[in-house]
Amino acid sequence: MIKVHHLAQSRSLRILWLLEELGQPYEVVRYERDAQTRLAPPELLDVHPLGKAPVIEVDGQRLGESGAIVEYLCARFGPQMVPPSDSAAYLEHLELMHFAEGSVMTPLLLHIYVGLLGEAGAPLHPRIQSETVKHLQFMEDSLRPSGHFVLDDLSAVDIMLSFPAISVMRGGRAAQFPKLAACVQAMQDRPAYQRAVVAGGGD
Ligand SMILES: N[C@@H](CCC(=O)N[C@@H](CS)C(=O)NCC(=O)O)C(=O)O
């Protein structure tokens, strides 16, 4: 049975969602964020040296990094979630899989961290804002008429991009990125997504 180390209100929900979509049984170990710092509790350091989530345990091994976990689970249990490696869609898959953690999260996290500086961070906000819009517009333009990225059904990239997409929609950008807003709604309407929310502790 796969064990998922899941941090409350975090990107590790993606892994629970993917496992629900794949119909794979799993066990959740849930961790609460520190009420003040919002950081993970120290117990996660016993699971992985970075003390972050998600981490999965499978066949006696531990694996961190959402992208690696999604690739692994799809390769093992859901090959239909990744385009064939000799198709044009595969290049798009690769690019967007890496974009999810390697590109779009940078301005989103800078917004949070620089926000902690208050007035001292003000000079950085226009640049953070323009980078955020640039990355979100790329996501908006990458959506297919089906409302999915890369394939016309749910794929690994949809799972990976759900976290930045849902995060920004909570920040009230639906009017600016309507296709992304519709995509987020469709994701959240999926029974497997809703089961994952419950399995993760309800938030
Ligand atoms: N690139 C990593 C990022 C992991 C990460 O930053 N996880 C966050 C959850 S949203 C976390 O554990 N934050 C708590 C902390 O840093 O203490 C991944 O995709 O898994």
Side-chain angles (χ1 to χ4, degrees):
M1 166 101 73
I2 296 166
K3 189 185 275 188
V4 185
H5 295 273
H6 167 63
L7 179 65
Q9 295 154 16
S10 85
R11 41 169 65 82
S12 52
L13 179 66
R14 287 187 288 210
I15 306 305
L16 309 186
W17 178 28
L18 176 58
L19 285 163
E20 288 288 347
E21 293 285 355
L22 297 177
Q24 282 300 313
Y26 60 95
E27 177 193 341
V28 179
V29 186
R30 179 183 155 108
Y31 301 81
E32 302 298 332
R33 289 179 181 271
D34 182 281
Q36 275 194 328
T37 64
R38 308 292 297 149
L39 293 176
E43 299 85 77
L44 257 176
L45 283 167
D46 297 335
V47 177
H48 190 281
L50 293 178
K52 295 179 188 295
V55 174
I56 63 165
E57 285 186 49
V58 58
D59 298 340
Q61 266 192 290
R62 288 183 178 158
L63 179 63
E65 286 299 329
S66 312
I69 296 170
V70 168
E71 291 280 3
Y72 169 80
L73 293 175
C74 289
R76 187 153 171 195
F77 305 112
Q80 74 281 2
M81 304 273 289
V82 176
S85 59
D86 59 355
S87 66
Y90 186 66
L91 295 191
E92 204 182 335
H93 159 85
L94 274 183
E95 180 176 341
L96 289 175
M97 284 297 285
H98 288 267
F99 168 88
E101 282 295 319
S103 290
V104 64
M105 288 310 296
T106 302
L108 301 188
L109 287 171
L110 279 171
H111 174 72
I112 295 171
Y113 289 134
V114 174
L116 297 175
L117 295 173
E119 264 312 297
L124 288 168
H125 281 301
R127 180 69 183 273
I128 293 171
Q129 173 65 14
S130 66
E131 285 296 310
T132 300
V133 169
K134 188 196 290 178
H135 285 76
L136 296 182
Q137 191 61 53
F138 177 63
M139 285 170 67
E140 175 91 355
D141 295 341
S142 299
L143 275 165
R144 298 170 65 83
S146 61
H148 293 283
F149 297 97
V150 182
L151 298 176
D152 286 328
D153 205 345
L154 192 77
S155 82
V157 167
D158 291 324
I159 301 278
M160 283 303 291
L161 288 181
S162 65
F163 180 67
I166 290 171
S167 307
V168 297
M169 285 310 145
R170 288 207 182 107
R173 289 186 182 266
Q176 203 178 359
F177 303 104
K179 289 201 287 177
L180 205 49
C183 166
V184 162
Q185 189 60 57
M187 287 171 172
Q188 293 179 320
D189 285 345
R190 292 178 76 96
Y193 183 91
Q194 291 165 10
R195 287 196 302 273
V197 171
V198 173
D203 50 16

